[in-house]
Amino acid sequence: MVLKPFDNDILDGLCSKDQLDLLDSVDRLRSQGIDHYVSLPQIIVCGDQSSGKSSVLEAISGVSFPVKSNLCTRFPTELILRKTPNFGVSVSIVAHHSHSKSERASLSNFRETLDSFDALPELIEKAKTAMAIGSFGRAFSKDLLRIEVSGPDRPHLTIVDLPGLIHSETKQQSTTDIELVQDVVKSYMQEPRSIILAVVSAKNDYANQIVLKLARAVDKTGTRTLGVITKPDTLIPGSDSEAMYVSLAQNLDVEFRLGWHVLKNMDSETGSWSLPRRDENERGFFLEGIWTTLPDSILGIVLLRERLSKLLLSQIAAELPSLIDEIELKSTACRAQLQKLGQPRTTIEEQRLYLLTLGQVSQSLTKAAVDGTYNDPFFGDAKTNTGYQKRIRAVIQNLNHSFAETLAREGHRYAVYNSPSEAPSRTPGSNVRTITRAKFLDRIEDLMKRTRGRELSGTFNPMIITDLFLEQSQPWEALARSHIEKVADAVRNFLKHLISHIADSSTFGTIFQTLVKPAIEQIVKDLVVKTAELLAPHQRGHPITYNHYFTETVQKVRKERSRAEFTRVIQNFFGIESLDQPASLRYGTVNYRSLLDVLMACNEPDMDRYACSEALDCMQAYYKVHRSHSSLNYDLKSCIVALKRFVDDIAVEAIETKIIAKLGDILSPLKVAYLAADVVTSVAGESDERRARRKQLTSQLDVLVKGSETCKRFMIGTLQGTYDTVLNFKFRMVGVGWQWLMRVCG
């Protein structure tokens, strides 16, 4: 394609050569569609409807736009002029992010090329059709029409023409259209690096034109707004309106730091004008009447181009440091997202290698957690909940200790006391029932009658110990299952933290659901089965122990009960409150035989009752509920029979053997090596969306990095140029001083 040449001199003033690399990078960023991440320097043309914006844009850029009075801009139009080795003009649509994915894809397919700007009006009509303007009641669109003009002799420039602001609804323009246009204009105005050309038509009172209000709202100090007055030829010479607009042009009424500029547009009703004729007509207009009182620097399109060139240069210079910082920030975020995606995993080899690597790290960290060596950064701060949950050995130790205490406190059905006065105000466990020894003996006596065999009076059937023990240890099963569930939850939390740490965000969920969760569920099932096995001897068998602590405990229980009874008798016999209190023998002598008779009367005359008491002592000794004078004493360090054995079995045979020892095998390299290919792909493979996301991020990062390098190069070059200028000035001053000294010395 051969592009017909057009007058490039119009644009030469808008961009110095020093800016070419920088603006090329900026345009490349914009062409990648990431300008919503980084605010880029550009010139935006804003104004009320029919204010002459398109004519201003054409006069500045030299690119012809439809400017007939019955037409208006229906969508943002972005004109990009870029310096490239080859000539070309392309027109495309950038879909607004509010569209659905399919709509964005359809609009993105709109791309046309031109060999002349004469065909631009017709192409704009095609774009309107593609954007469905005129269909479904739509009069405006948020979609962007992008016109890119490239060539080796093109300067770098970006100008955006925005839809005109609407004052009131009509048959063709609804309230929704008014709001849509305002939203579009505001979104562009709010970009902090944009220079706002606020176009005001002299046909209407500027106080009623919406553009000034919006410009003031986003640029309160007016540092990046330049006011442009159009259609001054419609003012009646000598009128108050003319004087009012002259005052406005002098920056006296609505003050902008960038000031105002006045343009005379071509008359769209008289036909098409050439740009040279337009400029000549404008020069002649400003040589007459009140306009001659204004400075030449604020009149006409030629000087406006110069002003824009300086403004754009100063805007870039001022924004360059913050632009570099913002690009670096976006680059860091982009790298972080790429890191989360991990390395590409397209082939089965890459996918299996990824899982093998995870398996090795998993085994290493699991061993450290199980051994209690928490040196790896993975474990974090132990004072936090997350850090504690990762220390699985500490969690299991604490849970086992808590289980032992809970079982000792709440594992028995009854807490037996000598009398109601000895029972504490609160029972040791929420489900533990308090009962006096006398009442409990009544229960045992009734049970013995119902289970009587061939035993002699005063003795008991040993199997009654089994019945009593089963009743007393009834809470064990619920407490053990609760403990197992807590351990399983702790292991799940640990594994979630572990997999989340070693896997990327996309594969964490799949790995956990596909490989880890089924394995841990099977382990927990085995753990439940093992717990049931450990409970079985205590639930269905009969008490068996060869531990010498059992007989010692029986004797100790009996001695303590006898001691308590004898203490009571002696206190009553001597009339004292405590055995520590020395007795005063009032009668001079003591009848020891009477004391002996009283002590002997303490024996249980009822043989069955005696057997019940013996059975209770044996059951308590076997269960290990050791009591003192006033309350039960749950001493875990003293003699332990069934209770301690069960606690140890749960900790060692169930938890340690069935779950802790198997954690390292859940995601081991050996297990990964034998996974089927389809499983490996389903777990570690990448979706099309993920690959597309990585490609997009990689491309975006490449553009950002190059843009950052260009910005920094431009910054360094600017500083170097400033330094060279200062240095040359010093050398010149030294030379002048030397010449003056030579003349003086003659």
Side-chain angles (χ1 to χ4, degrees), residues 521-548:
E521 285 179 350
Q522 184 58 50
I523 289 175
V524 171
K525 287 180 181 179
D526 295 341
L527 183 60
V528 171
V529 171
K530 186 62 179 180
T531 303
E533 290 178 4
L534 297 175
L535 275 167
H538 305 287
Q539 292 177 327
R540 295 190 295 271
H542 61 277
I544 298 176
T545 179
Y546 302 100
N547 195 322
H548 67 279

Side-chain angles (χ1 to χ4, degrees), residues 121-190:
E122 181 181 353
L123 189 55
I124 289 178
E125 290 302 318
K126 290 183 179 180
K128 286 182 181 180
T129 302
M131 297 178 193
I133 295 176
S135 304
F136 312 107
R138 294 183 62 184
F140 295 89
S141 174
K142 291 184 179 181
D143 302 319
L144 174 73
L145 181 68
R146 173 171 289 162
I147 303 173
E148 299 182 53
V149 182
S150 58
D153 59 344
R154 306 293 165 180
H156 285 60
L157 175 67
T158 298
I159 302 179
V160 181
D161 182 30
L162 300 176
L165 296 161
I166 309 169
H167 282 259
S168 58
E169 60 179 307
T170 64
K171 291 182 179 180
Q172 291 77 28
Q173 298 170 162
S174 64
T175 303
T176 303
D177 295 330
I178 296 175
E179 294 174 354
L180 185 148
V181 170
Q182 285 209 16
D183 289 344
V184 170
V185 174
K186 286 178 183 178
S187 66
Y188 276 86
M189 281 186 166
Q190 287 169 351

Side-chain angles (χ1 to χ4, degrees), residues 449-463:
K449 291 177 180 178
R450 293 174 178 270
T451 59
R452 189 179 297 278
R454 295 180 179 180
E455 64 273 9
L456 298 175
S457 297
T459 62
F460 60 90
N461 187 338
M463 293 307 298

Side-chain angles (χ1 to χ4, degrees), residues 31 90-93 107-113 123 146 148:
S31 68
S90 66
V91 180
S92 60
I93 295 176
L107 288 170
S108 299
N109 290 331
F110 183 92
R111 178 169 290 273
E112 299 283 348
T113 57
L123 189 55
R146 173 171 289 162
E148 299 182 53

Side-chain angles (χ1 to χ4, degrees), residues 190-244:
Q190 287 169 351
E191 295 295 332
R193 297 189 178 98
S194 293
I195 296 175
I196 302 171
L197 292 190
V199 180
V200 175
S201 171
K203 271 189 172 183
N204 305 310
D205 187 347
Y206 62 80
N208 297 327
Q209 299 190 43
I210 307 172
V211 66
L212 296 182
K213 178 181 178 181
L214 296 184
R216 276 298 192 193
V218 298
D219 183 25
K220 299 184 184 301
T221 59
T223 54
R224 56 185 181 89
T225 303
L226 174 62
V228 178
I229 300 172
T230 63
K231 305 180 183 180
D233 52 317
T234 61
L235 296 170
I236 300 174
S239 64
D240 291 340
S241 296
E242 186 183 54
M244 181 178 65

